[in-house]
Amino acid sequence: MPPGAGRAAAVIPRSALLVDPAASRADRAEALADPRVTDLLLGLGELYAYGGGSPADGILVEFPAPPVSSYGGRGWDCSGWVVACLVHLEILPPTHPDVASAWMADHWDEVRVEDARLGDVVCYGANDRVTHVGLVVVPGLVLESGGGDRTTHGDHPGAGVRCQPWGYRGVVRIVRSPPSG
């Protein structure tokens, strides 16, 4: 679906985000066999820092070690984590512009819940306003950097990269980066 076409003004109902447990187990097992996914999971627990992360961080030897944010802290913010992961997964080139969560939601192709796959981006918020993003690892699960805000600069142990059920908060839409190249 083209960006902006046919968007609902509200969040996706939680009931639409339910995943068949048997299929989900098989998807998780397959995803965990992918070494790129294993690399992403190594980021679990890394700290949140507002302004942290860029596309180029996805190709660093140290990935997923947290970068220094534009505000001096060390860690990942939600969009920085997602774009670096997309580069690491070779979905985006490392030269892709650094983009915020709302930009992804507004400019990338919307996908149906049932078509979501590794590398798609879940956009969170309310009333069609996107305020947060997470990366689909398998249908039903996202890796996201959260729990912080504009004042968090790698200094809050409860904020960072974590794995969540994708419906843990209001999902506005799920998007996929257009093919690069």
Side-chain angles (χ1 to χ4, degrees):
M1 184 177 308
R7 290 211 177 123
V11 298
I12 297 172
R14 287 184 191 256
S15 60
L17 296 169
L18 297 177
V19 177
D20 173 32
S24 183
R25 278 190 291 282
D27 289 341
R28 284 193 301 266
E30 184 179 331
L32 291 173
D34 185 334
R36 300 172 309 156
V37 172
T38 305
D39 287 348
L40 301 181
L41 294 175
L42 292 173
L44 288 170
E46 294 293 354
L47 293 175
Y48 178 95
Y50 184 74
S54 71
D57 292 321
I59 61 168
L60 298 177
V61 173
E62 302 86 19
F63 181 83
V68 174
S69 79
S70 51
Y71 296 92
R74 186 170 285 278
W76 299 98
D77 72 6
C78 66
S79 58
W81 170 252
V82 165
V83 295
C85 288
L86 291 171
V87 168
H88 191 74
L89 292 169
E90 299 178 348
I91 293 170
L92 291 179
T95 55
H96 192 277
D98 196 6
V99 295
S101 54
W103 190 93
M104 292 177 210
D106 290 341
H107 292 87
W108 289 356
D109 299 328
E110 188 167 356
V111 295
R112 298 179 318 168
V113 170
E114 57 270 21
D115 295 331
R117 64 180 189 219
L118 173 64
D120 288 343
V121 178
V122 179
C123 302
Y124 297 97
N127 299 321
D128 209 35
R129 182 174 178 264
V130 173
T131 58
H132 183 66
V133 288
L135 182 80
V136 173
V137 180
V138 294
L141 291 175
V142 295
L143 276 176
E144 53 106 31
S145 185
D149 59 26
R150 293 178 190 269
T151 64
T152 309
H153 304 293
D155 53 359
H156 187 286
V161 177
R162 52 200 178 185
C163 190
Q164 301 270 25
W166 64 8
Y168 82 102
R169 63 194 288 187
V171 176
V172 175
R173 68 185 67 90
I174 300 173
V175 297
R176 181 173 297 149
S177 169
S180 39

